[in-house]
Amino acid sequence: MAFAPAVAVAASRSFGFTAAAYPTSSPSRTLQPASSGGARNQRRPSIATLCLQPPSASRGAATRLYVRGLSLRTTEESLRNAFEKFGDLTEVHLVMDRVAKRPRGFAFVSYADEEEAKAAMKGMHGKFLDGRVIFVELAKRRPNRG
């Protein structure tokens, strides 16, 4: 009575997997070991180097705010009216759902000065806008995708 061969799976250093077969009593049912694709990820920069860039390299990061918890009735005009009392706005970007053609519930607001952005964050965090409590924090810079 012959059993199916036992297969072992081992992880290589580049997160590719290699399958190897143990010899069995039936020579016609043995599996050939798969080749490891370990060299393909060596040209990509590591995530650690992307995360360790100094904060001064992110130009304007301290002046851009992330606003979440927005109502679906919120418009760019109502956002601008609520945030312009804290300083000179350079950008108001209400993120829209492309399929539903309505706001997704968050936005980005940019100021010309870092002090104005801090004042807006303190002044608007936890306040009501269009019937919803909004939360304001510094926008995080997205890592380069390339």
Side-chain angles (χ1 to χ4, degrees):
M1 173 159 97
F3 292 100
V7 176
V9 176
S12 69
R13 297 187 99 208
S14 65
F15 299 100
F17 291 96
T18 304
Y22 295 115
T24 62
S25 59
S26 115
S28 64
R29 299 193 70 157
T30 59
L31 297 173
Q32 298 297 325
S35 64
S36 160
R40 68 179 175 183
N41 289 332
Q42 301 214 358
R43 291 189 189 139
R44 293 184 187 164
S46 69
I47 293 175
T49 58
L50 292 174
C51 293
L52 294 177
Q53 293 181 1
S56 62
S58 58
R59 186 182 141 260
T63 62
R64 190 165 190 205
L65 300 177
Y66 170 67
V67 184
R68 63 184 170 91
L70 295 173
S71 168
L72 298 180
R73 296 179 305 204
T74 301
T75 62
E76 284 191 12
E77 182 181 346
S78 65
L79 266 175
R80 184 174 298 279
N81 291 338
F83 281 89
E84 69 185 353
K85 59 186 171 189
F86 297 101
D88 185 25
L89 286 172
T90 58
E91 174 196 21
V92 176
H93 178 67
L94 181 64
V95 180
M96 301 291 285
D97 186 345
R98 289 183 224 157
V99 177
K101 307 283 189 221
R102 63 177 177 86
R104 291 187 58 195
F106 63 96
F108 294 96
V109 178
S110 297
Y111 284 91
D113 185 31
E114 186 176 337
E115 294 302 318
E116 294 171 347
K118 286 181 181 179
M121 191 168 51
K122 285 182 181 178
M124 292 299 291
H125 184 75
K127 301 293 187 220
F128 280 92
L129 180 66
D130 294 330
R132 301 269 314 257
V133 176
I134 62 169
F135 302 96
V136 183
E137 57 195 53
L138 285 176
K140 295 178 184 149
R141 189 170 175 94
R142 292 175 85 178
N144 293 341
R145 298 176 186 239

